[in-house]
Amino acid sequence: MDTDQTLLFDEAIKLELKVGELYSLFASWFKEDYDFWWNLALEENNHASLIRSVKEHFQPAGIFPKKLLSFSLPKMVDTNKKLTALIEKYKANPPQREETFRVAIDIETSGYEIHYQEFMAGKAESAVDNLFQDLNSGDKDHADRIKNYMISRGLQP
């Protein structure tokens, strides 16, 4: 098993879990948005589970969605460090409601999350890509969903 691939899988899993943790915190602080944030947190955790499944079942056979892991390992490590710091900051001092949406949009439109969404929306190049995209078909376009939710609540995206 390729060490860089394994590290990339591990960092991708960690990233999805951290975003899920952040959205869970948002759900706990803002009861009026609880269902929205909770659903996004579950979807992020589902992304982590899908990536973990690919790592455990497909990577050993060398048949995994290669485009999914074409993201830079140093960038992913850096993103995870930033997410960890943000979570710790917010645990000590929760943000205002509107800030949660801005932060979520920033997360969903930068780095690995946008790469993940582009892979999910792109043309499948293999049966494994197709399977992975089918398993994740309902969990797309988080940034757009966040913006639409904000607008529906009278908030400015």
Side-chain angles (χ1 to χ4, degrees):
M1 196 180 296
D2 184 312
T3 303
D4 283 345
Q5 278 181 357
T6 299
L7 292 173
L8 208 48
F9 272 113
D10 292 343
E11 288 298 320
I13 292 164
K14 187 187 299 183
L15 188 144
E16 298 292 347
L17 291 173
K18 287 189 177 301
V19 174
E21 179 182 357
L22 185 63
Y23 292 170
S24 293
L25 289 171
F26 293 170
S28 71
W29 293 323
F30 300 99
K31 300 301 180 198
E32 65 268 41
D33 303 316
Y34 177 86
D35 289 341
F36 178 76
W37 290 122
W38 187 249
N39 285 327
L40 285 180
L42 291 176
E43 290 175 14
E44 296 295 344
N45 291 331
N46 183 47
H47 298 169
S49 294
L50 286 171
I51 296 167
R52 186 177 293 119
S53 250
V54 169
K55 177 187 174 195
E56 292 171 3
H57 300 289
F58 295 105
Q59 185 191 16
I63 53 167
F64 59 90
K66 291 178 178 35
K67 282 176 68 176
L68 180 63
L69 290 182
S70 62
F71 198 73
S72 156
L73 179 60
K75 286 182 183 177
M76 185 121 33
V77 169
D78 185 55
T79 299
N80 278 329
K81 286 179 184 175
K82 288 177 182 174
L83 281 168
T84 298
L86 188 63
I87 289 167
E88 292 309 312
K89 172 186 164 187
Y90 285 163
K91 281 181 178 177
N93 187 21
Q96 296 294 314
R97 181 179 182 224
E98 288 192 36
E99 184 179 346
T100 63
F101 293 104
R102 285 191 294 277
V103 166
I105 290 169
D106 286 347
I107 289 169
E108 297 292 345
T109 58
S110 64
Y112 179 75
E113 284 293 323
I114 194 77
H115 179 77
Y116 183 91
Q117 292 297 331
E118 286 173 353
F119 169 77
M120 288 302 164
K123 183 178 185 294
E125 294 180 4
S126 70
V128 173
D129 288 4
N130 194 42
L131 172 67
F132 200 74
Q133 288 171 341
D134 284 349
L135 288 171
N136 195 57
S137 63
D139 297 351
K140 295 182 180 175
D141 304 320
H142 285 180
D144 288 339
R145 286 171 48 202
I146 293 165
K147 289 174 188 173
N148 289 336
Y149 182 86
M150 289 179 74
I151 291 166
S152 74
R153 300 301 187 271
L155 303 171
Q156 199 60 252

